[in-house]
Amino acid sequence: MSDLLRDRAMKKEKKIGKAPSDSGYKPKDGRPKDSISTVSNVEDPLHHDDNTRLPTENTYQLGPYKRHSVPVITEILKDVLTCYLQHDTYEAEWSRQMTKTLCEVIRARVKEQMIPRYKIVVIVNIGQLGGQGMQISSRCLWDATNDTFATYSFKNSSLFGLAIVYVVYVE
Amino acid sequence: MDDFQAEEEQTTFVVEEVSKIVKESVEATIGGNTYQHNRVNQWTTSVVEQCLSQLSKLGKSFKYIVTCVIMQKNGAGLQTANACFWDNTTDGSCAVRWENKSMYCIVTVFGLAI
């Protein structure tokens, strides 16, 4: 079973990219719209061609044999963020590239842990320090015994960087 | 053929219905409000929890991760990116960006098949 999984799309990695977005949301009661919203999602060209999910055999494995260690992942995030962002100032184009780079670096480092049957989601936010107020929160619907997350935030005089990694077990 | 399509609906991430759920949650929680520092914590929690409860009502065999960022409009810049290691055929994500005159709200939903 694990061979089948390895051969198929499990190994495929993709990055978020710009995609066609939806039109603004229209409130039902007809009052003038003072807010707009856009939707974007990843459009992977192979996503639709290969739509059949391969039937997999039972492994009779009830849980992961090896779990991710949160302190280890936090250490990875701290290391990557400090190393890449320490001496930099916020610029729009540079930080756009840097967030994508950081995502890929962190994903590669977490994959190096070689813990099987785990999916990884990495989110990186880089923002300018402008005295604005901001709140970031997240909630997950998952199996708390097997799945976990790690975060690290970094700040220097002109920018802040936040990295979040979620690791999710595949049954 | 119908059975196959119905089964496929059960195990793929459908962006349209997820984005509809997200937009409704955001609009219901902060639509028409201005940024208030002492309420923003409650707003983000409420948006995320509403999204999650609507998503679980879809009844699909998915694990969900919902992230919400609410930022005051100040001229400051924010970049956000994500990278995922998952199964392309079944998993997906959807980002909804909402704004009004005083704040931005970005909600990202990741759906991972079990």
Side-chain angles (χ1 to χ4, degrees), chain A residues 38 44 47 125-126 130 137, chain B residues 44 49 68 74 79-80 88 97:
Chain A
T38 52
D44 191 352
H47 193 110
N125 292 330
I126 294 183
S137 22
Chain B
T44 49
E49 281 177 358
C68 172
N74 194 20
Q79 303 287 347
T80 170
N88 257 1
R97 214 195 78 151

Side-chain angles (χ1 to χ4, degrees), chain A residues 9-16 22-23 25 28 31 34-42 44 47 50-53 90 92 95-96 99-100 103-104 107 111 118-128 130-143 147 160 166 168-171, chain B residues 4 8 11-13 15 19-20 23-24 27 31-32 35 37 40-41 44-45 48-49 52 55-56 61-101 108 110 112-114:
Chain A
M10 192 72 158
K11 275 210 293 202
K12 225 172 188 311
E13 301 167 9
K14 60 179 179 176
K15 329 176 252 205
I16 210 96
D22 205 359
S23 58
Y25 175 72
K28 290 190 184 84
R31 60 184 155 85
D34 58 357
S35 58
I36 49 174
S37 62
T38 52
V39 180
S40 60
N41 64 301
V42 184
D44 191 352
H47 193 110
D50 202 7
N51 240 343
T52 52
R53 195 180 189 180
Y90 182 88
S95 59
R96 188 174 304 149
T99 34
K100 293 186 199 167
C103 273
E104 283 163 19
R107 182 182 59 192
K111 275 172 71 183
Y118 269 89
K119 293 179 179 173
I120 301 166
V121 177
V122 180
I123 301 176
V124 172
N125 292 330
I126 294 183
Q128 190 179 18
Q132 78 274 26
M134 173 188 261
Q135 179 80 18
I136 301 178
S137 22
S138 76
R139 281 274 194 286
C140 309
L141 183 68
W142 62 19
D143 180 355
D147 307 324
F160 70 88
Y166 301 96
V168 175
Y169 180 66
V170 185
E171 284 172 30
Chain B
F4 175 72
E8 216 176 84
T11 54
T12 47
F13 188 78
V15 177
S19 69
K20 180 161 157 277
K23 282 181 196 164
E24 282 169 6
E27 196 62 36
Y35 183 87
H37 183 72
V40 73
N41 193 358
T44 49
T45 315
V48 166
E49 281 177 358
L52 214 47
L55 287 168
S56 65
S61 55
F62 271 86
K63 291 180 178 176
Y64 293 105
I65 297 171
V66 181
T67 309
C68 172
V69 181
I70 295 185
M71 183 168 94
Q72 188 182 20
K73 273 192 178 175
N74 194 20
L78 174 71
Q79 303 287 347
T80 170
N82 60 67
C84 307
F85 177 66
W86 61 23
D87 182 348
N88 257 1
T89 53
T90 54
D91 305 332
S93 69
C94 166
V96 176
R97 214 195 78 151
W98 181 98
E99 66 179 285
N100 68 6
K101 290 203 186 84
T108 318
F110 298 92
L112 302 154
I114 296 178

Side-chain angles (χ1 to χ4, degrees), chain A residues 86-97:
Chain A
Q86 192 143 48
H87 302 294
D88 294 307
T89 44
Y90 182 88
E91 278 157 26
E93 193 47 51
W94 168 87
S95 59
R96 188 174 304 149
Q97 292 306 316

Side-chain angles (χ1 to χ4, degrees), chain A residues 47-86:
Chain A
H47 193 110
H48 300 292
D49 294 344
D50 202 7
N51 240 343
T52 52
R53 195 180 189 180
L54 197 71
T56 49
E57 255 181 43
N58 241 328
T59 59
Y60 301 100
Q61 184 177 338
L62 295 173
Y65 294 141
K66 199 170 143 199
R67 285 191 168 79
H68 275 101
S69 151
V70 173
V72 167
I73 303 182
T74 314
E75 195 52 45
I76 293 174
L77 296 179
K78 179 172 164 194
D79 192 31
V80 173
L81 283 180
T82 326
C83 178
Y84 279 78
L85 296 179
Q86 192 143 48

